[in-house]
Amino acid sequence: MDTEVVLLEGETRTMPTPEQPSLIVRQKSPQNTEFPFASLSDLLIPTELFFVRNHFPSPDLDARDWRLRVDGAVARPLELDLDSIKAMRSTTLTAVVECAGNGRVYYVPPKEGLQWQNGAVGNAAWTGVLLSEILEMAGVKPNAREVLLVGADSGVVDTNKKTASPGPIAFARSLPLEKAMAHSTILAHSMNEEPLTRDHGYPLRAVVGGWFGMAWVKWITHITVLEQPFLGYWQAREYFRWERNLGEPSLVPLTEMEVKAQIARPVQGARLIAGQPYRIFGAAWGGEAAIRQVQVCTEDGSGWREASLLEKERPLAWRLWEYMWTPEKVGQYKLRCRAIDAAGRVQPDQQRSDFESYAANWIVPVEVTVVPEPQTYEEEFVI
Ligand SMILES: Nc1nc2c(c(=O)[nH]1)N[C@H]1C(S)=C(S)[C@@H](COP(=O)(O)O)O[C@H]1N2
Ligand SMILES: [Mo]
């Protein structure tokens, strides 16, 4: 049977034709699905292939009776409907969101939690209103410190029996006032030029450019401006890291994403042909600083070399990159890539110990086999 192999520009494929890509299910209920990272091709991930990270069943909200309530340390508490939010000045951000649990499966020894590989990340165009404009409408009081974003989803969480059950809790995270007021934070009603889908937070979600996904609260119904730090479950019991302050390690909520490049192709275990050029291809992203460099090491003695960054440098979005490699010798190779951001942060070699089970950004090699070039027409078909 004939199969048509579609090659991307400059790419030589020795793998069978890939099937139509589809989301990889990590958990059925609540829905947690992963983007098949090996199918990466464009700057924007289509919404139907975008990863979904839900802690509770996704609420089915009706825009007609949905309202956004803004209260707390504000001069004028507000209640807005969707039409009045859509009528405000709109902003579009192309931004990457990575779940802090992305890459958890690479932890040694294994860590509890959803075993994401490399697809709990995606880049999309998000359209909505600046959170700062809504906060300005409400009039933030001078002693305000944080802005709490509350989703319409809730449920009972397993607190490991270390504490008494607090009963059902909503998904809620706070942002420091400074980040809430920044131009990198919007409340989005659209994704890739379509209204948000239910899975991605319809009718309104936060887009917190440069920050890990837990800050991007979906199905927002309530914003409270706080005068003291929020210590809710998703802030203090999950999505934290250890930071040594004044000698003692203390828990700090996760914020910015860590600098990271991932290889989409070749995939683990791929067979490449000696003497034939292959396009190593992937994406790189980080926190609030843009990606400046991606380097590739093919383990053939030539060390780290520069990959080409495709697309222009856009803060908050990921950057696609490629590196053309012609393996000369047959054998096993470990392909590595690493990103460096505009602030000079370099992706680490080794697993880190301060991030609990999160922010797995150390280099994960892709192992490939380089096989001999077929000598003659007949030999090519000998099995
Ligand atoms: N209300 C609500 N918002 C949420 C979550 C959630 O469970 N409930 N999950 C968060 C996490 S951990 C991530 S990684 C992102 C994922 O966004 P996506 O599902 O649109 O990809 O949503 C965030 N916003
Ligand atoms: Mo996440």
Side-chain angles (χ1 to χ4, degrees):
M1 204 176 69
D2 272 342
T3 49
E4 197 193 333
V5 179
V6 181
L7 296 181
L8 298 172
E9 209 185 323
E11 189 178 41
T12 318
R13 203 192 285 283
T14 57
M15 302 288 291
T17 313
E19 288 167 18
Q20 194 66 12
S22 58
L23 286 164
I24 304 160
V25 178
R26 295 276 167 238
Q27 189 179 13
K28 276 211 180 108
S29 179
Q31 189 194 336
N32 282 289
T33 47
E34 173 164 346
F35 166 63
F37 196 75
S39 72
L40 178 71
S41 58
D42 299 317
L43 183 70
L44 302 181
I45 300 298
T47 304
E48 62 278 9
L49 277 185
F50 207 93
F51 83 98
V52 176
R53 175 58 179 119
N54 286 347
H55 294 85
F56 303 119
S58 57
D60 189 8
L61 302 180
D62 185 337
R64 283 169 300 189
D65 43 53
W66 174 91
R67 296 289 180 277
L68 175 65
R69 204 149 47 86
V70 184
D71 59 18
V74 294
R76 298 170 293 277
L78 300 174
E79 209 175 84
L80 298 167
D81 62 17
L82 191 61
D83 285 340
S84 41
I85 292 173
K86 283 184 164 172
M88 290 170 64
R89 188 169 65 106
S90 85
T91 301
T92 297
L93 294 180
T94 298
V96 56
V97 53
E98 182 186 22
C99 180
N102 191 35
R104 179 175 292 129
V105 72
Y106 306 119
Y107 267 100
V108 179
K111 299 267 185 172
E112 265 181 48
L114 291 172
Q115 297 299 300
W116 301 107
Q117 293 183 353
N118 54 7
V121 61
N123 191 62
W126 310 93
T127 303
V129 298
L130 286 170
L131 175 55
S132 64
E133 285 195 17
I134 293 200
L135 293 173
E136 276 155 18
M137 274 166 72
V140 173
K141 290 191 173 161
N143 47 352
R145 287 177 62 179
E146 291 194 353
V147 176
L148 179 64
L149 309 175
V150 187
D153 53 332
S154 67
V156 176
V157 293
D158 175 14
T159 52
N160 257 343
K161 301 183 180 68
K162 282 185 205 144
T163 54
S165 168
I169 41 182
F171 189 86
R173 281 277 302 194
S174 74
L175 295 173
L177 186 62
E178 201 191 11
K179 184 64 179 172
M181 297 300 284
H183 283 188
S184 51
T185 301
I186 67 172
L187 298 182
H189 46 71
S190 301
M191 175 181 187
N192 296 333
E193 298 186 332
E194 299 284 347
L196 285 175
T197 59
R198 177 172 167 186
D199 288 337
H200 296 293
Y202 179 83
L204 198 72
R205 77 166 311 161
V207 166
V208 186
W211 286 35
F212 278 120
M214 76 281 130
W216 298 43
V217 178
K218 302 191 274 191
W219 311 292
I220 291 189
T221 48
H222 187 191
I223 296 178
T224 304
V225 178
L226 302 175
E227 295 173 2
Q228 67 297 118
F230 176 64
L231 287 174
Y233 183 84
W234 308 103
Q235 196 95 10
R237 276 307 277 257
E238 304 248 8
Y239 299 114
F240 61 85
R241 65 188 171 87
W242 291 101
E243 195 176 272
R244 221 166 242 280
N245 278 325
L246 307 169
E248 286 307 313
S250 52
L251 291 183
V252 181
L254 291 181
T255 56
E256 261 189 279
M257 291 180 280
E258 296 288 312
V259 63
K260 184 171 183 180
Q262 287 185 173
I263 296 174
R265 292 184 296 278
V267 296
Q268 287 286 357
R271 293 163 82 80
L272 313 186
I273 297 174
Q276 288 191 7
Y278 189 91
R279 180 188 188 234
I280 303 175
F281 173 67
W285 61 93
E288 291 170 8
I291 291 298
R292 271 295 146 76
Q293 269 174 290
V294 172
Q295 298 176 329
V296 171
C297 177
T298 49
E299 224 189 18
D300 52 10
S302 46
W304 287 97
R305 282 156 299 163
E306 298 299 313
S308 312
L309 292 170
L310 311 173
E311 326 275 347
K312 60 175 192 209
E313 180 177 306
R314 288 170 223 254
L316 315 180
W318 68 18
R319 287 187 90 176
L320 303 181
W321 56 267
E322 65 179 12
Y323 179 84
M324 294 305 298
W325 181 47
T326 306
E328 300 299 343
K329 283 201 208 118
V330 167
Q332 300 280 115
Y333 292 83
K334 284 190 173 123
L335 309 182
R336 294 181 167 80
C337 66
R338 70 178 178 204
I340 301 166
D341 74 8
R345 288 176 286 203
V346 184
Q347 188 174 347
D349 279 328
Q350 298 296 324
Q351 177 174 318
R352 31 207 311 176
S353 57
D354 52 342
F355 273 89
E356 193 71 5
S357 67
Y358 303 112
N361 75 324
W362 61 90
I363 299 165
V364 178
V366 170
E367 296 185 35
V368 299
T369 307
V370 173
V371 298
E373 193 164 7
Q375 295 301 306
T376 65
Y377 182 77
E378 284 95 320
E379 270 186 38
E380 204 171 329
F381 293 94
V382 171
I383 301 171

